Amino acid sequence: SSAIETSAMSITEYNGGGILAMAGKNCVAIASDRRYGVQFQTMATDKNKLYKMHDKLYIGLAGLATDQATFHEKLKFRLAMYSLREERDIKPASFGKLVSTLLYERRFGPYFCEPVIAGLDSANEPYLFASDFIGAPLIPDMDSNGFVVAGTSSEQLFGMCESMWRPGLDPEELFETISQCLLAGSDRDCLAGWGGTVHVICPDKVITRTLRGRMD
Amino acid sequence: MDTVISLIGRNFGILAIDTISPRSIVIMKKDLNKCVEIGKNKYLIVSGLPGDVSQFTDFIQKSVQLNSLKTGIPFSTHSVANFVRKELSECLRKNPVKVNLTILGFDDSIGPSLYFIDYLGNLQRMNYCVQGHASLLVFSLLDRHFKKEMDIKPAIGLLVKCIGVLKNRFLINQVGFLIKIIDSKGCRSVGIL
């Protein structure tokens, strides 16, 4: 049926989106855009792409929306089983390995989603993780480039983060920096944008804010 | 290609759905009711490849009914939507089904809710939604004129505007649009525009 035609876009660009995470001093922030689109048409402007795993661990999923949802459901299940068995919350580093393994399990029929993980470990040191859709990990060096990005606007976000990030940001400065990077980065990507959601994870609380950007 | 325009108002959900059944260049039936009732307070509208549509609709309707008989608990709209999403996402990599769905329901605890699920299994809860090629013409009209918590008369007025645009500019003559409402009293048909 003609309704199901797709143009020559890659499957990871079918829905679009941009996710980034940044590290500060004893805090991390993770941010995503809010567009839910089907190829070139925007269907909704309040899609949630950031998922809370526990109080100090958030994951953002970019890529095909159905695989984001399916993969998140798998992770939620695995984490629930983990916390029942181990009677504690999972460490961010272990969670990163878990995500990597789960994605590689589907090496020859992959989930088309790219994860970005932001968390605080038990010493409240920031942890960042990103991978491609088959689980190749990227854990950045916190002293020189404490940020990770994913999604259709990843190149724009890389450029913004490279110029604006510096080590040792406190929560408010981190929020400002990550917000400006997200908004500027997704402005130039037609498949991402329509505002943003930011979670700043501090040792005692999580600050969640919604950004209003160019709504186009 | 089916057109479904649905929106949420104050304690009700309303939808307009076209009533033609086309095959190639011919309209086979002009008064087809494409809304399927699930329980007493949910509508499911499925569109896409004809065989997949009838098979998937029956499957969902009967599965939900079976589950609510087994457990004795009637399903909420949120559960039905997530159940459909799960089935579609599992089908995606085994036996793909090319259908898009709109689910409009009313729950006593949360009021009306509207979900759109596309053929890949992307689930999104929305305040208003257009399904089909008509979305290219009608969505922007809804962006401009939709307000939250509308009453029934303004909502029908908005649907009249949307259908007017389609009758004016849409290539396909979708002869009539069936208007249906779901609220705390259940599902009912309002008329044909």
Side-chain angles (χ1 to χ4, degrees):
Chain A
S1 144
S2 59
I4 324 284
E5 72 210 12
T6 49
S7 68
M9 286 168 96
S10 119
I11 193 71
T12 52
E13 291 170 4
Y14 187 81
N15 294 119
I19 317 248
L20 76 143
M22 267 189 192
K25 191 168 168 57
N26 293 333
C27 57
V28 274
I30 187 166
S32 80
D33 71 317
R34 285 162 70 88
R35 178 180 180 269
Y36 170 58
V38 174
Q39 292 184 284
F40 298 114
Q41 184 175 43
T42 299
M43 302 281 287
T45 56
D46 57 358
K47 179 153 179 71
N48 178 36
K49 300 171 195 176
L50 304 175
Y51 302 100
K52 176 176 168 177
M53 294 286 112
H54 62 72
D55 285 335
K56 289 188 186 174
L57 184 61
Y58 275 70
I59 184 168
L61 292 167
L64 191 62
T66 182
D67 284 346
Q68 283 174 36
T70 306
F71 192 63
H72 163 62
E73 281 159 19
K74 281 187 81 158
L75 286 174
K76 203 167 145 185
F77 170 68
R78 292 292 289 256
L79 231 65
M81 295 301 291
Y82 184 95
S83 53
L84 280 171
R85 260 201 319 270
E86 304 264 332
E87 294 178 357
R88 63 178 175 87
D89 288 329
I90 194 170
K91 280 189 229 161
S94 315
F95 184 66
K97 292 270 191 216
L98 172 67
V99 164
S100 200
T101 312
L102 280 177
L103 286 169
Y104 195 80
E105 271 177 13
R106 293 268 177 271
R107 170 64 178 85
F108 298 107
Y111 290 122
F112 295 103
C113 62
E114 289 160 6
V116 166
I117 299 173
L120 291 174
D121 66 16
S122 46
N124 290 327
E125 288 300 318
Y127 173 83
L128 293 177
F129 172 98
S131 95
D132 64 4
F133 60 89
I134 43 174
L138 168 68
I139 298 173
D141 172 18
M142 295 295 173
D143 298 322
S144 54
N145 54 337
F147 52 85
V148 282
V149 304
T152 50
S153 31
S154 56
E155 276 151 33
Q156 293 90 328
L157 290 169
F158 263 130
M160 284 304 303
C161 292
E162 196 63 61
S163 50
M164 306 208 73
W165 182 85
R166 58 178 204 285
L169 293 166
D170 73 22
E172 280 307 317
E173 288 174 332
L174 185 62
F175 168 74
E176 272 306 316
T177 311
I178 201 175
S179 307
Q180 293 306 319
C181 288
L182 176 73
L183 290 176
S186 49
D187 273 351
R188 283 289 182 179
D189 180 11
C190 57
L191 301 172
W194 292 90
T197 307
V198 184
H199 298 291
V200 182
I201 306 161
C202 310
D204 51 345
K205 60 182 190 284
V206 174
I207 307 165
T208 300
R209 294 200 182 115
T210 307
L211 308 171
R212 188 172 167 87
R214 277 180 66 121
M215 305 297 265
D216 62 357
Chain B
M1 182 58 193
D2 299 349
T3 298
V4 183
I5 308 169
S6 36
L7 45 105
I8 300 283
R10 184 200 304 270
N11 292 328
F12 70 94
I14 189 168
L15 61 86
I17 175 163
D18 74 288
T19 55
I20 62 164
S21 172
R23 287 289 179 273
S24 167
I25 58 168
V26 174
I27 299 177
M28 298 288 258
K29 189 170 160 66
K30 282 190 199 169
D31 53 0
L32 181 63
N33 180 7
K34 301 178 194 174
C35 274
V36 169
E37 285 187 35
I38 303 185
K40 289 198 199 61
N41 52 4
K42 283 175 276 296
Y43 273 138
L44 172 72
I45 304 104
V46 186
S47 60
L49 288 181
D52 288 343
V53 165
S54 49
Q55 187 262 334
F56 196 73
T57 313
D58 285 343
F59 170 65
I60 295 296
Q61 191 183 28
K62 302 314 174 205
S63 301
V64 172
Q65 201 175 358
L66 176 63
N67 270 305
S68 45
L69 285 171
K70 264 200 241 178
T71 59
I73 305 168
F75 269 34
S76 66
T77 316
H78 178 76
S79 315
V80 170
N82 278 286
F83 172 68
V84 172
R85 192 209 93 77
K86 179 184 93 78
E87 291 297 328
L88 273 175
S89 64
E90 280 173 11
C91 284
L92 181 64
R93 288 177 160 89
K94 290 190 190 137
N95 47 341
V97 177
K98 286 197 172 170
V99 293
N100 299 320
L101 307 100
T102 303
I103 299 175
L104 178 65
F106 188 92
D107 303 298
D108 291 324
S109 45
I110 60 168
S113 47
L114 173 65
Y115 292 87
F116 172 68
I117 307 169
D118 83 349
Y119 71 102
L120 297 168
N122 298 324
L123 171 68
Q124 183 72 15
R125 183 175 174 186
M126 304 163 97
N127 283 326
Y128 55 90
C129 181
V130 190
Q131 183 181 320
H133 280 139
S135 61
L136 296 166
L137 292 163
V138 172
F139 240 133
S140 38
L141 202 67
L142 285 171
D143 284 334
R144 174 71 179 82
H145 293 293
F146 176 82
K147 290 181 191 31
K148 286 195 176 170
E149 310 269 322
M150 276 197 293
D151 290 321
I152 291 191
K153 279 214 162 74
I156 294 184
L158 183 50
L159 284 178
V160 166
K161 269 204 186 84
C162 296
I163 293 167
V165 164
L166 290 177
K167 296 214 166 158
N168 204 5
R169 286 289 183 186
F170 195 42
L171 183 64
I172 299 172
N173 174 26
Q174 295 172 312
V175 171
F177 285 81
L178 186 58
I179 314 285
K180 297 218 170 209
I181 291 190
I182 296 191
D183 58 13
S184 51
K185 296 183 228 146
C187 312
R188 62 183 187 282
S189 190
V190 171
I192 297 190
L193 275 175

